Amino acid sequence: MTTDEDTDHEDLLERLLRHLLSGGNLDELCEEAGLPVLLESTGRPVNVREVVADGDAGVLALNRGVVFRLSGGSEVQLSIVTSRRPDSPVQERPPRTSG
């Protein structure tokens, strides 16, 4: 199946980021990647409270992106910018099911 070239890469990456970080276990992801763990002033690990698309967070942007709301009140925005399109249409393969 061919995807809409205006949204395929941006949409997939936005959904992937939301999936990866919406579990809230930022400390586990950091440890798994060999990165330092951020700690709140209480000594507890900083966690992701919410991951939302820019538009759902009320952020006006020309690009796609996500907003990470962290414990302790921090909010981080990540924009997804396509700097070059593929030369030919991109195809999609449905996700593999386990079992």
Side-chain angles (χ1 to χ4, degrees), residues 72-91:
S74 296
E75 189 170 287
V76 179
Q77 298 176 20
L78 180 64
S79 293
I80 301 168
V81 179
T82 300
S83 56
R84 189 170 127 185
R85 297 272 178 212
D87 295 332
S88 58
V90 174
Q91 303 287 316

Side-chain angles (χ1 to χ4, degrees), residues 20-73:
L20 287 172
L21 293 171
S22 63
N25 298 327
L26 186 58
D27 58 326
E28 291 176 15
L29 291 172
C30 288
E31 286 187 12
E32 203 175 285
L35 298 170
V37 174
L38 298 175
L39 301 176
E40 295 181 14
S41 61
T42 62
R44 293 180 18 198
V46 171
N47 285 311
V48 179
R49 286 188 306 114
E50 184 178 28
V51 181
V52 294
D54 281 350
D56 294 338
V59 175
L60 298 176
L62 297 176
N63 302 313
R64 307 256 331 216
V66 292
V67 175
F68 303 100
R69 294 183 176 137
L70 307 176
S71 58

